[in-house]
Amino acid sequence: MSEIVRIQGLRKSFGQAEILKGIDLSVNTGEVVVMIGGSGSGKSTCLRCINRLETPTSGTIVVAGNDVTCPRTDLNQVRQNIGMVFQGIHLYPHMTALGNVMLALRKVKKVSKAQAEEQARQHLDQVGLAERMEHYPSQLSGGQQQRVGIARALALEPKVMLFDEPTSGLDPELVGEVLNVMKRTRDAGMTMVIVTHEMQFAREVGDRIVFMDQGVILDQGSPEEILSKPRHKRIQDFLSRMH
């Protein structure tokens, strides 16, 4: 297995508050790593440091051979390798689903309009939105909007996909459709780092579960080790509250 993400000694403070207190984590190509833990444990901050939406206070992060923490690194270049899907759905309201995905391809990949349209259609089809391509975000359900966001990220052909609680805020019946698309993305061999509160999903898709607590990795292992036979009382308490 070749390593595609390596995080060493990652610390992040906001003012006096230290949110990440020395994270070491590596992710292999094709692996699905699921981060779980209580609110404020640092999961989302860790994810946002990987694609440099947050600047680490110290430590190094290497993605696909590029040190994203080096000041000389071209972040726009690096971010082409890193797809990101957020909790909130950031679509342009004045553009159709197709337009939203095409825009990413035109701006980031600099492909021709015809090529962008062909690729956008392909990716929207893959997330089950062939019928809804000409719809505007306001005409789509929350789950459909989130799937457009996934199609947009996948269209850039990243090497790693980051998901930050992509189903939080969705109606329960819409959660499944987003999780199904994520499962298909995993089955296609995509490397994924996922922050989620969906424990059943974590168990089904995760190769490795990372439990974060108060800015550190408390434990990590297979879904069986972390979710079925947790070694720490803190994790036992967390899981009993989640059920």
Side-chain angles (χ1 to χ4, degrees):
M1 295 287 274
S2 62
E3 185 181 74
I4 192 162
V5 179
R6 183 193 294 152
I7 302 172
Q8 288 177 300
L10 176 62
R11 291 178 176 271
K12 175 64 183 173
S13 298
F14 295 100
Q16 294 298 302
E18 191 175 35
I19 305 299
L20 298 176
K21 303 171 183 172
I23 299 289
D24 296 313
L25 181 68
S26 68
V27 180
N28 290 320
T29 304
E31 187 179 23
V32 177
V33 172
V34 181
M35 303 179 99
I36 64 171
S39 286
S41 58
K43 308 179 299 291
S44 294
T45 302
C46 184
L47 222 52
R48 291 170 68 86
C49 285
I50 295 175
N51 75 345
R52 282 294 309 277
L53 284 173
E54 298 289 356
T55 303
T57 305
S58 63
T60 57
I61 302 172
V62 176
V63 181
N66 296 300
D67 181 351
V68 303
T69 42
C70 171
R72 292 182 303 283
T73 297
D74 177 351
L75 288 182
N76 290 334
Q77 194 66 42
V78 163
R79 287 187 184 130
Q80 290 190 33
N81 289 325
I82 308 171
M84 179 110 188
V85 179
F86 300 89
Q87 301 177 11
I89 300 151
H90 303 275
L91 297 179
Y92 290 105
H94 62 289
M95 289 182 158
T96 61
L98 186 64
N100 267 283
V101 180
M102 280 177 67
L103 181 69
L105 284 160
R106 296 293 310 269
K107 280 183 81 164
V108 180
K109 289 276 190 197
K110 306 281 191 272
V111 300
S112 69
K113 191 173 178 190
Q115 200 185 341
E117 181 169 344
E118 187 189 338
Q119 290 178 6
R121 284 183 182 280
Q122 218 177 335
H123 284 283
L124 285 164
D125 189 27
Q126 278 173 5
V127 299
L129 290 173
E131 311 294 308
R132 318 285 291 179
M133 293 186 194
E134 303 300 340
H135 288 64
Y136 290 89
S138 60
Q139 299 168 306
L140 299 172
S141 72
Q144 288 168 338
Q145 290 181 43
Q146 193 59 290
R147 284 188 282 158
V148 175
I150 295 173
R152 179 176 60 185
L154 287 173
L156 299 176
E157 298 177 336
K159 294 185 174 149
V160 183
M161 282 284 285
L162 309 177
F163 291 90
D164 187 10
E165 297 194 27
T167 56
S168 79
L170 291 183
D171 292 338
E173 69 267 26
L174 301 177
V175 168
E177 64 185 60
V178 175
L179 298 182
N180 284 335
V181 169
M182 291 170 67
K183 282 180 192 165
R184 291 206 296 276
T185 305
R186 176 209 59 185
D187 293 344
M190 177 62 72
T191 307
M192 298 159 70
V193 184
I194 304 168
V195 170
T196 186
H197 284 300
E198 304 283 342
M199 291 302 128
Q200 187 53 40
F201 175 70
R203 187 186 293 278
E204 286 171 27
V205 302
D207 295 307
R208 182 156 41 113
I209 308 286
V210 172
F211 188 91
M212 287 189 63
D213 187 46
Q214 298 183 345
V216 299
I217 293 175
L218 185 60
D219 202 1
Q220 57 180 305
S222 68
E224 172 73 6
E225 290 170 315
I226 303 298
L227 300 177
S228 301
K229 301 172 183 160
R231 298 175 273 247
H232 290 263
K233 184 167 188 322
R234 172 75 190 91
I235 303 177
Q236 292 164 8
D237 293 346
F238 171 80
L239 292 171
S240 66
R241 280 209 309 280
M242 295 302 283
H243 289 319

